[in-house]
Amino acid sequence: MEFFLIGLAVAMVGGLMLSRLTRLIHLPAVTAYLVAGLLLGPFCVGALQVQGLGFNSLAQVETFKIVSQTALGFIAFSMGNEFRLKQLKAMGKSAIIIGILQAVITTIVVDIALIALHLCFPTMISIPCAITLGAIASATAPAATMMVVRQYKADGPMTRLLMLVVAIDDAVGLLLFSVSFGIANALASGAVSILAVVVEPIVEIVLSLALGAAMGWLLHRVEKFFHSRSKRMTISIAFVMLTVGLSMLEFKVGPVNCGFSLLLVCMMTGTIFCNVCPTSEELMERVENWTMPLNVLFFVLSGAELDLNVLAQPVTLIVGVVYIIARSLGKYYGAASSCSMTHQPKPIVSHLGITLLPQAGVALGMAMTAATLADGALARNVVLFSVLVYELVGPALTKRSLTAVGEIRPEGRTSARKLNEAS
């Protein structure tokens, strides 16, 4: 247990120290945390096998999964704050259209590219694997985007639209993946399962929204019993942790496998809470400040779990490069065309797609499910490779795009230490 705590402390300190270096070259802090994770991971410092100094194996990183899941839950809860009725009335219709279209277009573009690769080199990738990877390509990582927005206090029309689109993207990606994976299984086995393709995805989304709504309403009712800010913040944190735990439950109702999407559940909790509680904005801000250390750990652990063994596999690299190029084109032109359709300003049309490139936890979860296919290991390795690229490059591109549209102020040398001394 002592080495568990030492390992967490080293991860946090390492990530924070490296963020001071990346600031010199104007990279987002999230990139520093990911690189720190790579350096502390089993392929660098962790390979020294010194307990407490880095992560000695991928299995050891897996033992910290509950930390990552909890952090992701808080990030999704905060994203629910973007779904205030006032904002939904202003751009809700546009966000829904963009969120759906860019995900579908990305899936189609990646499907076409990988099926073409199969037709040219049949032994390299199968049709079921290509279809599954196309659906996985639709997923965007909300955590990296949220961290960049928070760090630079980005605000404006594109930032608000981006947060809504990223949130909607999770539900759309889940549906696309479930349908595509069901079709892939049907092609591989010759039998179509209506349960897997249609029923179970819809059940998961409905159950997730219902649980999230119930937890958001219950949090509002319970926090009324407390009047001090610290106690109200504590009960909010406890409820998010409870929601994360409940969203990890799985059960069966007859032949139907029932489960929840952690992101959807926590997002819905935040959405309901922020719309029914009059003091939710102040409370959300306090919860976000409390979770900052948890977010640092999340990204350091995300960096540590990246398997660098995939870089030694030629087939993975070839399919991975095709996947990354096709996905990037799909996200960029999918967002641009849907933004034009909804009459967004030209700067948003030109830059929104770039901010949707980051990919991480949701895609990796889908890839783990896809591992049951005949060549599912290839799908998993391709996603690992793409995550390695997108997570290191994506946050910097997001920052660049938000700066280009004027929603990030130029970085100054403001120090919280100096501000405190002055006050």
Side-chain angles (χ1 to χ4, degrees):
M1 185 60 72
E2 61 270 26
F3 289 114
F4 184 91
L5 290 175
I6 292 170
L8 288 178
V10 169
M12 289 175 67
V13 173
L16 290 170
M17 293 303 291
L18 198 60
S19 70
R20 300 304 300 166
L21 293 177
T22 54
R23 189 180 182 189
L24 298 176
I25 52 176
H26 306 292
L27 286 175
V30 63
T31 303
Y33 305 148
L34 289 162
V35 173
L38 275 173
L39 294 177
L40 292 169
F43 300 97
C44 195
V45 174
L48 299 174
Q49 298 296 312
V50 179
Q51 279 193 307
L53 183 61
F55 306 97
N56 305 142
S57 66
L58 290 173
Q60 187 183 33
V61 179
E62 184 68 18
T63 62
F64 292 89
K65 186 179 179 181
I66 190 63
V67 177
S68 299
Q69 294 290 83
T70 304
L72 202 54
F74 277 102
I75 289 166
F77 179 71
S78 296
M79 288 185 72
N81 198 31
E82 304 299 321
F83 284 85
R84 291 182 180 272
L85 288 177
K86 183 173 66 176
Q87 283 183 224
L88 287 175
K89 287 176 183 176
M91 57 176 64
K93 184 180 177 182
S94 298
I96 292 169
I97 292 171
I98 296 168
I100 294 173
L101 281 183
Q102 58 83 25
V104 172
I105 290 170
T106 301
T107 296
I108 293 170
V109 171
V110 176
D111 277 346
I112 291 171
L114 293 180
I115 290 172
L117 184 64
H118 165 79
L119 295 176
C120 296
F121 305 98
T123 58
M124 189 172 287
I125 183 172
S126 68
I127 294 286
C129 185
I131 292 173
T132 303
L133 281 171
I136 293 173
S138 65
T140 297
T145 304
M146 175 74 85
M147 285 291 283
V148 173
V149 169
R150 281 184 187 173
Q151 180 184 351
Y152 297 105
K153 296 180 174 58
D155 191 31
M158 191 171 96
T159 301
R160 290 191 285 271
L161 178 62
L162 169 63
M163 299 309 290
L164 289 172
V165 169
V166 168
I168 292 165
D169 185 271
D170 181 53
V172 178
L174 176 66
L175 210 64
L176 286 171
F177 174 74
S178 299
V179 172
S180 296
F181 186 59
I183 293 171
N185 271 324
L187 289 173
S189 64
V192 179
S193 170
I194 300 298
L195 276 180
V197 177
V198 180
V199 178
E200 289 181 357
I202 294 173
V203 167
E204 181 169 340
I205 290 173
V206 171
L207 285 178
S208 298
L209 295 177
L211 176 60
M215 294 303 290
W217 178 83
L218 194 58
L219 171 58
H220 167 57
R221 302 299 299 176
V222 172
E223 65 91 25
K224 283 184 173 182
F225 291 104
F226 304 94
H227 303 292
S228 74
R229 290 177 176 176
S230 59
K231 288 180 180 177
R232 288 170 61 234
M233 181 185 75
T234 302
I235 197 66
S236 300
I237 291 167
F239 255 80
V240 176
M241 288 181 174
L242 176 60
T243 304
V244 170
L246 291 173
S247 68
M248 296 168 77
L249 297 174
E250 294 180 355
F251 56 95
K252 289 190 75 168
V253 177
V256 182
N257 293 308
C258 300
F260 304 93
S261 163
L262 184 148
L263 284 174
L264 274 183
V265 173
C266 293
M267 211 179 295
M268 191 63 174
T269 302
T271 300
I272 296 299
F273 178 66
C274 76
N275 280 291
V276 299
C277 177
T279 58
S280 62
E281 201 150 359
E282 174 258 339
L283 198 52
M284 284 275 201
E285 188 176 342
R286 291 173 67 83
V287 170
E288 285 177 17
N289 291 336
W290 180 88
T291 57
M292 183 58 199
L294 198 59
N295 293 336
V296 173
L297 274 177
F298 171 77
F299 286 104
V300 174
L301 290 169
S302 297
E305 71 181 354
L306 295 176
D307 189 347
L308 298 188
N309 286 322
V310 297
L311 300 178
Q313 302 168 8
V315 172
T316 297
L317 294 179
I318 293 169
V319 177
V321 168
V322 173
Y323 172 88
I324 289 170
I325 293 171
R327 180 178 182 272
S328 300
L329 290 173
K331 283 290 179 185
Y332 181 80
Y333 288 106
S337 58
S338 52
C339 283
S340 297
M341 190 184 301
T342 54
H343 309 293
Q344 301 299 319
K346 192 174 185 306
I348 294 180
V349 173
S350 302
H351 292 281
L352 183 68
I354 296 172
T355 64
L356 297 173
L357 291 180
Q359 190 172 44
V362 177
L364 287 172
M366 292 176 178
M368 294 301 245
T369 304
T372 57
L373 292 171
D375 54 350
L378 174 64
R380 178 181 174 277
N381 290 339
V382 167
V383 173
L384 278 170
F385 174 59
S386 72
V387 166
L388 177 64
V389 174
Y390 281 127
E391 282 296 86
L392 294 177
V393 176
L397 292 176
T398 298
K399 178 201 170 186
R400 183 179 177 185
S401 293
L402 290 173
T403 302
V405 298
E407 296 186 10
I408 287 180
R409 289 176 294 179
E411 290 184 75
R413 296 185 177 273
T414 307
S415 166
R417 181 187 297 277
K418 291 180 180 177
L419 287 175
N420 288 337
E421 287 173 355
S423 61

